[in-house]
Amino acid sequence: NCVEHSFYCKTEIGDLKELQTLDVSTNCLTTLPESLHLCFSLQYLATDRNHLVDLPRQLCMLQNLNELSVTSNSLKCLPQDLGRYPELQYVYVDNNLELYGLPSFLYNKVIGHSGCGSSVQSEEMKLSFTHRQLTITVPEEIQTIGTENDTVPPLQEIIMRTIYNFYHTSKKGLDPLSPNSLPRSLCELLFYPLGHCHHCSQPMFTIVYPKCFPLTETPMAAIYNGRTKMCFVAYCCSTKCLQVFDLLS
């Protein structure tokens, strides 16, 4: 049954344009299909008690999604755009032991995260950064983590932003873009960026500038009695946005 459910989910789910509720909990899933973002009407998604290690960033394109539950998986990070659309109001990530960071877009939303950030962190991790002796994993598609000392983004990032802005400000859009004009991986990024700056909404393709806000230092701390290692993480496009971003503003 696990194999059958997984195969069906990956090959046909994108065709269900009117689907509003999807519950694939307890199905031995290790991934979710990228085509899930084509279910434009989806409002409720539950993938609890599976073996997911990450979520496709295309999931963040579901503008009508109101509730997401991914409890009891193996998630170490969440897509940086998760919560960008205001329709998503309820997010449950409980019992993902290696999850320490929440995208700042989720601040002021209803979040369940009991049991998160409770594992002993191993030395073998994907790309990550350290904040107050706490290692926070970032989505694996990110190539570089910028700091306040990196005042100029890499050349590849500048080129990608220029191409993206050119095609999006023209009437043609990205569709006429030749697939041979860029490597396939970069061409796909033009259609589905890694995320958008949590301050100015600039799309990002290869580099992010993260900024941490421990949950215990926010007004939400009283809800959890100060007993949590979770942080909200703002992903910014530049040192300028990194310096001015304020989670509470």
Side-chain angles (χ1 to χ4, degrees):
N1 284 339
C2 292
V3 174
E4 292 175 356
H5 282 299
S6 177
F7 178 79
Y8 176 82
C9 184
K10 290 182 179 180
T11 58
E12 300 184 22
I13 193 66
D15 297 331
L16 305 178
K17 308 300 183 185
E18 303 300 324
L19 181 68
Q20 296 185 14
T21 299
L22 177 64
D23 189 338
V24 290
S25 300
T26 319
N27 269 294
C28 305
L29 298 177
T30 58
T31 60
L32 292 178
E34 294 180 359
S35 62
L36 189 61
H37 77 278
L38 298 175
C39 300
F40 306 117
S41 302
L42 193 62
Q43 299 177 21
Y44 172 82
L45 173 62
T47 66
D48 306 315
R49 300 178 300 281
N50 283 296
H51 307 296
L52 302 176
V53 295
D54 55 28
L55 299 176
R57 66 180 183 277
Q58 290 86 348
L59 185 70
C60 303
M61 300 174 63
L62 291 171
Q63 298 189 29
N64 293 309
L65 188 64
N66 175 258
E67 185 170 345
L68 172 66
S69 186
V70 290
T71 66
S72 300
N73 279 282
S74 301
L75 299 173
K76 295 183 179 180
C77 57
L78 298 174
Q80 55 189 302
D81 266 359
L82 190 64
R84 182 168 179 253
Y85 289 117
E87 286 76 9
L88 183 59
Q89 290 294 316
Y90 306 94
V91 179
Y92 304 98
V93 295
D94 306 79
N95 299 318
N96 284 279
L97 305 184
E98 297 184 68
L99 180 64
Y100 288 85
L102 300 167
S104 70
F105 287 132
L106 294 180
Y107 185 70
N108 278 338
K109 298 180 185 288
V110 176
I111 305 171
H113 65 269
S114 299
C116 292
S118 59
S119 71
V120 176
Q121 294 189 313
S122 63
E123 296 182 358
E124 296 183 3
M125 303 184 72
K126 296 184 292 185
L127 193 62
S128 59
F129 65 96
T130 301
H131 176 77
R132 298 184 185 177
Q133 299 183 330
L134 184 67
T135 302
I136 299 176
T137 305
V138 299
E140 62 180 1
E141 301 99 331
I142 295 172
Q143 297 181 16
T144 307
I145 296 176
T147 67
E148 291 187 354
N149 297 323
D150 303 320
T151 55
V152 180
L155 179 60
Q156 186 179 72
E157 179 71 14
I158 294 174
I159 292 173
M160 291 292 289
R161 293 182 186 181
T162 301
I163 296 174
Y164 181 90
N165 290 330
F166 172 78
Y167 278 95
H168 272 270
T169 54
S170 69
K171 295 182 179 179
K172 296 179 180 180
L174 285 168
D175 291 334
L177 188 64
S178 169
N180 297 321
S181 57
L182 286 171
R184 180 178 177 182
S185 59
L186 294 181
C187 195
E188 290 177 350
L189 277 175
L190 285 176
F191 286 90
Y192 309 112
L194 295 184
H196 295 76
C197 178
H198 290 203
H199 178 70
C200 74
S201 294
Q202 163 78 43
M204 300 175 290
F205 302 94
T206 63
I207 185 173
V208 297
Y209 297 79
K211 186 174 184 178
C212 273
F213 299 85
L215 194 153
T216 54
E217 297 178 13
T218 71
M220 295 178 63
I223 301 176
Y224 303 100
N225 298 318
R227 295 193 301 268
T228 179
K229 295 182 179 179
M230 298 296 290
C231 288
F232 289 103
V233 183
Y235 295 99
C236 298
C237 68
S238 65
T239 55
K240 180 180 178 180
C241 287
L242 181 71
Q243 292 166 358
V244 300
F245 181 88
D246 185 358
L247 181 69
L248 304 180
S249 64

